[in-house]
Amino acid sequence: MNILGLSTLDPSAFGHDSSAAILDDDSNLFAISEERLSRIKHDGGYPSNSIQACLNQKNFTLSDIEHVSVGFGLEKKHMKKIMSKNFSAFAKDSGYKKTSVEKKNPIFYDHQYIHARTGLSLSGFNKAIIISLDGGGVDNGIPNSGGIFIAENGKIEPIKYFPMYHSLGLTYGNITEICGFNMSDGEGKTMTLAPMAENMNEIDKTKIYEHMCKIFPNFDGMNVKSNGGVTFSSIFRHENTIFSIEDTRLLLLKRLYHKNLIAWAAQKRIEYIVIDLIVDIIDNFKIKNIIFTGGIFLNMIMNMKIQEKFRDTLNLFFNPICSDHGNAIGSILEKYFQETGKNPISQNMSLSLGNSYSDEEILLSSNRFNFKIKKVNKIDTAINLIEQGKVVGWFQGRSEFGPRGLGNRSILALSTDEKYKNIVNKKVKKRESWRPFCPTITEEKSNNFLKHPLSAPYMILGFEMKNPELYPAVSHIDGTCRPQILKKSTNPDFYNVVNGLNGIILNTSFNLAGDPIVETPHDAFMTLKNSEMDAILMNDFLIEK
């Protein structure tokens, strides 16, 4: 059964994170985001490049595809045939029969439901509560901003949906805009700013938190009601929403408070709301397995607070592909489950789901650049260069699916001196100097560096460090870090590099600020050319300027 999964089928300037995935008869999975090929970060357009990449990977044409599934629900006005038991619908001809892909009569699955399916399939849980929260989606033909589901034996049932006009994701996104960053891209910067206000004036912090409580939706556990706060009058154009941020309370934030305080208050408020929601769910359903999915759960500091509060009493799983690009995979998983009753992927599977490149392709691409290139022992060379204080690009194997470089498309440096954070921020990534970097830590040595370490292969959880002053290049101002905890079996070559550097290394995604993660050798060479990175190790080649 060959299934093509898409996160969207409707191109728009207001969309984000289009992607495509394919599952073949042997349950081999390939997935790639449109941004990796178009080189437009968070590209929300029609996923033509990623669709073609999926077909090329399998040497398929569209005639080889048996099913096309889409991980974004339809509004009622666009529905033709509704299959309520399957949380899906077929589209009317109008507006959805433009291309050869759409003529294959794709099935459109409800948005939050597919977030839930993705999280469940990766978690390995048999029975669980699933919490999905994001900016917005469509389920049952109605726009929403999240939902709660109960899953057992692979079946998922919705318990509750949250209305679109009380969107936690859009609220946090609008505050991100007020802080001077872009929604659907800069929320991580808002999160990172928040700890910088911890030592600011307590009176100001009290005032702004009270102000923020009037801006965020009025959640009381699982219940939400209007409190006169900011609401979103949204117009959905298929999967896209248009809204205004001209609410006076939002604009007053910028006039009255420093952006660090704004970020701090927003972060505290969303943490309080989500933790209170979890407590209410536990009290009502008495289920110990909880799955978190939807774009809000890219907030690693919030995830850390959740983990700290509930780690002794609950089993928690944070979906590493929780934003909308993951729904390309999720829609495949749902279709496969409906056809077979089974899950085709393994618990905590590797996210190295994209393309790899041969030596011949690398050499051909290098001909366009005036770089020095030679074959080396890549592991020993990486260790030696990094020990010398060099910043090294690490380009190996299949590209990762998702927003993190997890050891296949990574930039690496020493973790033990703050100057490496400054070098990578200023001269390589070319981004704000205050932004922290994540470490990769070997599993065996994680207890040396972290308080209460646990399985964390995806850089989606935060931890307190035991001695953050010893690793200033990868610890934030609050003494925390957001690590990848690496098992040798997951990525042996990368593991050996990290292990050769005392078990901890600065690891950031292989891209410049504003660019998607590099996909091809050419992308990597352009990054080397346009930055002060010292070298790239690509397959067994050392590439230097």
Side-chain angles (χ1 to χ4, degrees):
M1 180 166 51
N2 300 320
I3 309 172
L4 179 66
L6 308 173
S7 64
T8 183
L9 264 179
D10 184 44
S12 169
F14 299 96
H16 65 95
D17 295 326
S18 297
S19 61
I22 192 167
L23 186 76
D24 65 19
D25 284 332
D26 297 320
S27 295
N28 297 310
L29 182 63
F30 174 89
I32 191 166
S33 296
E34 186 70 10
E35 68 167 13
R36 301 290 183 91
L37 302 168
S38 70
R39 309 310 298 160
I40 301 170
K41 194 167 185 180
H42 298 300
D43 192 343
Y46 186 86
S48 55
N49 293 303
S50 45
I51 290 170
Q52 191 59 54
C54 288
L55 298 175
N56 292 345
Q57 179 69 19
K58 305 296 181 182
N59 293 317
F60 284 173
T61 66
L62 275 176
S63 62
D64 296 305
I65 300 299
E66 297 168 63
H67 306 285
V68 178
S69 56
V70 183
F72 208 108
L74 292 169
E75 287 184 276
K76 286 182 178 178
K77 63 183 178 182
H78 295 298
M79 290 180 174
K80 181 179 180 182
K81 180 182 178 183
I82 303 172
M83 294 176 288
S84 58
K85 290 183 180 180
N86 294 331
F87 306 98
S88 57
F90 291 105
K92 291 180 180 178
D93 288 348
S94 174
Y96 279 100
K97 301 293 181 183
K98 305 171 188 175
T99 70
S100 53
V101 172
E102 291 157 346
K103 289 175 183 177
K104 292 188 74 70
N105 203 25
I107 187 167
F108 291 78
Y109 288 107
D110 288 350
H111 185 70
Q112 307 298 345
Y113 179 85
I114 292 301
H115 277 317
R117 171 61 67 192
T118 311
L120 177 65
S121 299
L122 284 167
S123 73
F125 293 153
N126 181 57
K127 184 176 183 179
I129 291 290
I130 307 170
I131 303 171
S132 180
L133 298 169
D134 62 7
V138 178
D139 291 62
N140 301 314
I142 300 171
N144 64 69
S145 61
I148 303 170
F149 302 82
I150 189 167
E152 187 168 10
N153 297 322
K155 295 182 179 179
I156 302 172
E157 295 292 338
I159 298 168
K160 184 181 183 68
Y161 290 102
F162 299 114
M164 182 70 202
Y165 51 85
H166 289 319
S167 170
L168 288 173
L170 291 184
T171 304
Y172 199 89
N174 276 281
I175 290 165
T176 293
E177 292 274 348
I178 295 298
C179 288
F181 312 125
N182 294 325
M183 185 186 292
S184 300
D185 176 58
E187 284 84 352
K189 297 181 185 181
T190 304
M191 175 194 74
T192 303
L193 275 181
M196 296 183 177
E198 284 291 350
N199 295 323
M200 295 181 77
N201 185 280
E202 291 297 327
I203 295 174
D204 288 342
K205 287 165 69 175
T206 300
K207 287 181 179 178
I208 193 172
Y209 187 78
E210 290 174 353
H211 188 150
M212 199 62 72
C213 289
K214 297 174 183 177
I215 289 174
F216 268 83
N218 185 20
F219 273 75
D220 180 14
M222 289 190 292
N223 299 311
V224 59
K225 59 184 178 181
S226 176
N227 64 344
V230 175
T231 59
F232 298 94
S233 299
S234 57
I235 304 169
F236 262 85
R237 295 185 176 175
H238 302 327
E239 87 282 15
N240 304 306
T241 181
I242 303 170
F243 50 85
S244 169
I245 64 166
E246 295 178 357
D247 189 285
T248 303
R249 282 153 297 194
L250 282 167
L251 296 178
L252 278 173
L253 283 175
K254 194 170 185 178
R255 296 286 183 92
L256 296 176
Y257 302 103
H258 190 278
K259 67 180 180 181
N260 290 10
L261 273 175
I262 297 171
W264 174 86
Q267 184 68 25
K268 289 294 180 186
R269 189 58 186 160
I270 199 168
E271 289 170 6
Y272 176 87
I273 289 171
V274 174
I275 287 173
D276 191 51
L277 170 64
I278 297 166
V279 170
D280 196 22
I281 288 171
I282 296 166
D283 289 344
N284 278 275
F285 297 100
K286 315 297 182 186
I287 294 175
K288 297 290 187 179
N289 299 327
I290 312 290
I291 298 166
F292 304 96
T293 190
I296 279 181
F297 292 103
L298 287 173
N299 190 313
M300 293 181 284
I301 292 179
M302 181 182 72
N303 296 349
M304 179 180 71
K305 299 295 178 60
I306 293 169
Q307 186 74 46
E308 288 174 347
K309 184 171 181 64
F310 299 107
R311 65 182 169 222
D312 294 331
T313 55
L314 301 175
N315 303 309
L316 308 175
F317 181 79
F318 297 85
N319 176 12
I321 48 173
C322 58
S323 61
D324 286 357
H325 71 281
N327 276 19
I329 292 176
S331 67
I332 287 177
L333 299 175
E334 177 60 22
K335 181 62 179 175
Y336 190 91
F337 180 79
Q338 289 186 12
E339 294 290 330
T340 68
K342 297 178 181 178
N343 174 19
I345 64 174
S346 59
Q347 179 182 0
N348 284 323
M349 73 170 183
S350 169
L351 296 183
S352 299
L353 301 173
N355 288 305
S356 61
Y357 295 87
S358 67
D359 288 356
E360 291 74 20
E361 289 172 303
I362 292 168
L363 290 171
L364 181 62
S365 185
S366 70
N367 289 335
R368 302 179 63 181
F369 299 86
N370 188 28
F371 295 146
K372 294 179 288 185
I373 183 167
K374 63 179 179 180
K375 279 211 166 185
V376 295
N377 181 308
K378 61 189 173 188
I379 296 169
D380 290 345
T381 303
I383 293 169
N384 290 336
L385 288 172
I386 293 167
E387 283 181 332
Q388 294 170 30
K390 305 295 186 182
V391 177
V392 176
W394 181 257
F395 186 111
Q396 306 289 329
R398 298 179 69 179
S399 58
E400 302 95 337
F401 184 71
R404 312 286 177 220
L406 298 174
N408 288 16
R409 302 290 185 273
S410 292
I411 294 173
L412 310 176
L414 286 174
S415 62
T416 50
D417 193 318
E418 189 169 8
K419 72 179 182 181
Y420 297 112
K421 170 187 168 182
N422 297 332
I423 289 170
V424 178
N425 264 329
K426 183 178 180 181
K427 296 183 178 182
V428 180
K429 300 283 278 193
K430 300 184 179 181
R431 65 183 202 177
E432 298 90 344
S433 62
W434 45 265
R435 291 175 64 185
F437 290 107
C438 299
T440 294
I441 296 171
T442 59
E443 182 181 43
E444 292 82 359
K445 294 187 178 180
S446 60
N447 196 55
N448 296 350
F449 306 113
L450 306 175
K451 297 179 181 179
H452 311 294
L454 45 79
S455 176
Y458 301 122
M459 282 186 182
I460 200 166
L461 287 174
F463 295 86
E464 287 187 70
M465 297 195 78
K466 285 185 174 179
N467 300 108
E469 71 281 0
L470 299 180
Y471 308 98
V474 295
S475 59
H476 197 26
I477 191 172
D478 57 357
T480 65
C481 69
R482 267 71 76 185
Q484 173 195 22
I485 298 180
L486 182 63
K487 293 183 178 181
K488 187 171 186 177
S489 59
T490 301
N491 191 334
D493 286 346
F494 185 47
Y495 175 95
N496 287 332
V497 172
V498 181
N499 196 51
L501 293 159
N502 299 314
I504 185 169
I505 193 172
L506 182 157
N507 173 15
T508 186
S509 57
F510 197 151
N511 62 288
L512 303 182
D515 288 347
I517 298 175
V518 299
E519 169 59 26
T520 66
H522 180 269
D523 300 335
F525 294 149
M526 287 298 295
T527 301
L528 177 62
K529 178 183 176 182
N530 294 323
S531 74
E532 296 184 44
M533 189 191 308
D534 294 295
I536 299 173
L537 283 157
M538 185 179 294
N539 291 4
D540 291 317
F541 293 109
L542 171 65
I543 299 104
E544 297 176 294
K545 293 181 181 178

